[in-house]
Amino acid sequence: MNEDGKKDYGILIAQKAERLITAIYLVTDLIDNKEPLKSAIRTNSIVLLSSINTLAQPEVKDRITEYKVSLKAVTEIISLLHVGRSAGIAA
């Protein structure tokens, strides 16, 4: 893949991440503001967005670390959403 292709792909990935985080914010908007689960999900969402945006840049020094940060954030978001659903906090 040439440099332009890598740049375009990075932009596409960043845009998809923005859509995903927007959807997470819409879902968590249904959760009470006093619920710690809401802030935990949103915090991990921002970490994920930041990491994905870093990965979208062609000159990333430690790509493996950013992948690990992204994977950890995704795993935590999924786990928190499962807990919320099981507890009846999030549908």
Side-chain angles (χ1 to χ4, degrees):
M1 188 179 291
N2 63 25
E3 285 302 312
D4 287 338
K6 288 181 182 178
K7 183 178 179 182
D8 291 343
Y9 184 70
I11 291 170
L12 175 68
I13 296 299
Q15 290 171 339
K16 298 286 184 183
E18 288 174 10
R19 287 185 190 163
L20 175 63
I21 302 312
T22 299
I24 290 172
Y25 262 74
L26 291 172
V27 168
T28 56
D29 202 36
L30 302 172
I31 300 173
D32 186 4
N33 288 333
K34 296 176 186 174
E35 180 57 52
L37 193 69
K38 180 177 186 171
S39 62
I41 293 169
R42 286 183 170 191
T43 299
N44 278 295
S45 296
I46 297 303
V47 169
L48 176 60
L49 182 61
S50 175
S51 182
I52 294 294
N53 281 331
T54 299
L55 285 167
Q57 303 303 314
E59 313 85 23
V60 178
K61 291 185 180 186
D62 194 357
R63 200 168 281 283
I64 298 298
T65 299
E66 287 302 325
Y67 281 127
K68 288 179 181 179
V69 168
S70 295
L71 181 60
K72 182 178 183 286
V74 167
T75 303
E76 288 187 27
I77 291 167
I78 291 169
S79 294
L80 291 165
L81 288 171
H82 282 294
V83 168
R85 184 171 184 207
S86 296
I89 296 169

